[in-house]
């Protein structure tokens, strides 16, 4: 009986380590997308220092109409963040799991402003945080369905996604050499 508990503990620890590695890779790719605009050269970076404190105004209005693509993309890119936080901090209350997504988004917006590499926008902060919330909710849904196998299943899916993204990035690097 004791060996079974130790084996379960070791598997859980292995899953936690895999989740942590996948999360670090995700955060690096996230920073590259948001801060470096998927550029491979600093020379191609936009030199822009702009800040918008009015939600859903300015940057999302194009030709007098609301451009939902940017909002949708900001939500979408932070859904994995919420999933990873759910996996890594499953014992935290829901509200506490949202804080890292909001702080990370705020930090990225602040870095964009400080280094003049993009427009800092409250709408981005709202969209990113909403993505984190959705990711946490998805994790809760998976947990209700899969119980103790949740992290294993999500790690498999995240591994496949990470391999795909890294392969795509490798291809982009090769093409841009």
């Amino acid at each position: 009986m004791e060996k079974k508990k130790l084996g379960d503990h070791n598997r859980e620890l292995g899953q936690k380590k895999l989740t942590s590695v996948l999360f670090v890779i995700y955060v690096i790719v996230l920073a590259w997308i948001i801060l470096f605009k998927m550029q491979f050269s600093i020379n191609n970076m936009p030199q822009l220092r702009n800040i918008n404190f009015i939600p859903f105004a300015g940057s999302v209005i194009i030709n007098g109409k609301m451009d939902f693509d940017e909002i949708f993309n900001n939500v979408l890119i932070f859904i994995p963040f919420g999933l990873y936080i759910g996996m890594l901090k499953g014992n935290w209350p829901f509200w506490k799991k949202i804080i890292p997504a909001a702080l990370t988004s705020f930090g990225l917006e602040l870095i964009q402003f400080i280094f003049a590499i993009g427009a800092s926008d409250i709408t981005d902060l709202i969209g990113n945080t909403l993505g984190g919330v959705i990711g946490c909710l998805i994790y809760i849904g998976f947990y209700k369905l899969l119980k103790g196998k949740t992290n294993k299943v999500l790690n498999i899916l995240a591994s496949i996604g990470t391999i795909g993204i890294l392969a795509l990035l490798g291809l982009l690097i090769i093409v841009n050499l």
Side-chain angles (χ1 to χ4, degrees):
M1 191 65 105
E2 195 68 32
K3 286 184 181 180
K4 185 178 182 186
K5 287 183 182 179
L6 185 60
D8 289 345
H9 176 72
N10 287 340
R11 278 190 287 282
E12 285 178 27
L13 191 60
Q15 288 297 322
K16 208 60 128 176
K17 286 180 182 179
L18 176 58
T19 303
S20 296
V21 169
L22 291 169
F23 182 58
V24 167
I25 294 168
Y26 162 77
V27 169
I28 290 168
V29 171
L30 180 71
W32 177 64
I33 290 170
I34 291 176
L35 297 177
F36 299 103
K37 315 296 185 241
M38 299 191 302
Q39 297 295 318
F40 294 105
S41 170
I42 294 176
N43 296 334
N44 295 335
M45 296 287 299
Q47 294 298 309
L48 173 66
R49 180 176 286 136
N50 187 19
I51 192 162
N52 175 32
F53 290 113
I54 302 169
F56 307 103
S59 67
V60 295
I61 297 176
I62 297 174
N63 296 326
K65 294 183 181 179
M66 189 79 114
D67 179 21
F68 289 102
D69 286 346
E70 183 179 347
I71 297 169
F72 178 75
N73 290 335
N74 282 323
V75 170
L76 192 63
I77 199 167
F78 262 76
I79 289 175
F81 198 102
L83 282 165
Y84 283 122
I85 293 299
M87 293 168 72
L88 293 168
K89 301 297 181 184
N91 57 340
W92 282 10
F94 182 79
W95 66 268
K96 201 173 186 180
K97 293 176 186 173
I98 306 310
I99 293 171
L103 289 176
T104 300
S105 177
F106 179 77
L108 292 168
E109 294 298 317
L110 187 63
I111 290 168
Q112 286 183 92
F113 181 78
I114 290 170
F115 293 104
I117 54 174
S120 298
D121 196 326
I122 190 75
T123 305
D124 294 350
L125 178 64
I126 293 167
N128 295 343
T129 304
L130 178 60
V133 169
I134 292 169
C136 286
L137 291 172
I138 291 170
Y139 177 81
I140 290 169
F142 268 94
Y143 191 80
K144 287 184 180 203
L145 288 172
L146 303 172
K147 305 285 184 231
K149 296 183 182 201
T150 304
N151 285 12
K152 182 177 181 179
V153 169
L154 290 175
N155 273 335
I156 291 168
L157 294 173
S159 295
I160 293 167
T162 300
I163 290 167
I165 292 292
L166 292 177
L168 204 71
L169 290 177
L171 184 63
L172 282 173
I173 290 169
I174 291 169
V175 169
N176 285 296
L177 287 179

